[in-house]
Amino acid sequence: MKILARRLIPYFILLFLPLLASASSVRRVDMAEVAGSAQLVFEGRVIAKHIEHTPGSRAIHTWVKFEILDLIKGQYDQPSIELSFLGGTAGDLSVTVSDMQIPAMGEHGIYFVEDISRPLVNPLYGWDQGHFLVQFDKDLRRQTVST
């Protein structure tokens, strides 16, 4: 029986490998879905960041505070919002989530927030699909929006 089980293990791995491989992927969506499904959309600037490590756990969250420059969609009556992203470094403990871009200090962008009422690994809709940078293009002499 043990020999049979050992022989079947590689087949079980091959059977479940596609499920494991897709577990961390993010489905690509079009702009209409990003805009329609986001609870909150705003133009803002990153004004503060801090990292929290829950004692006794390996969870680390980077809290990013945004100054809201323009509310595009949703209800929010404060001049700033703080969003939690899984990951960061606290002392000698680091947590990294592959392919996640945590907004940088001073960054100016348009942010599509999936849900402000519950904690998510990345609060932006579709991860990078809900994260657009606003930058000044010197050649064009105007602001541009990019992913």
Side-chain angles (χ1 to χ4, degrees):
M1 188 68 165
K2 287 183 180 180
I3 294 173
L4 179 60
R6 284 188 205 153
R7 287 184 182 167
L8 291 177
I9 288 175
Y11 295 109
F12 281 111
I13 291 172
L14 289 174
L15 179 66
F16 289 104
L17 189 60
L19 295 174
L20 296 172
S22 66
S24 64
S25 65
V26 176
R27 180 177 62 90
R28 281 276 163 219
V29 294
D30 61 24
M31 193 60 201
E33 183 175 336
V34 172
S37 298
Q39 179 186 27
L40 186 70
V41 181
F42 68 93
E43 178 183 359
R45 184 177 327 281
V46 176
I47 56 173
K49 289 172 78 169
H50 73 276
I51 296 174
E52 277 185 12
H53 173 233
T54 306
S57 79
R58 295 181 2 176
I60 296 176
H61 292 267
T62 298
W63 287 88
V64 180
K65 185 174 185 178
F66 299 86
E67 172 188 20
I68 297 175
L69 303 172
D70 187 19
L71 186 61
I72 299 167
K73 177 188 176 189
Q75 298 291 318
Y76 200 78
D77 59 356
Q78 301 297 315
S80 64
I81 187 169
E82 200 168 20
L83 300 175
S84 172
F85 294 78
L86 181 63
T89 300
D92 61 348
L93 183 62
S94 268
V95 173
T96 303
V97 179
S98 65
D99 297 330
M100 183 162 62
Q101 299 293 321
I102 297 175
M105 251 327 265
E107 176 183 294
H108 179 195
I110 299 173
Y111 305 94
F112 293 74
V113 182
E114 184 170 337
D115 190 335
I116 61 172
S117 64
R118 62 189 174 103
L120 299 168
V121 171
N122 185 334
L124 302 179
Y125 193 87
W127 293 36
D128 64 331
Q129 297 172 83
H131 185 182
F132 297 87
L133 299 178
V134 176
Q135 298 171 323
F136 186 77
D137 185 311
K138 292 177 185 177
D139 295 333
L140 298 174
R141 294 187 304 211
R142 63 182 165 140
Q143 289 186 326
T144 60
V145 178
S146 64
T147 57

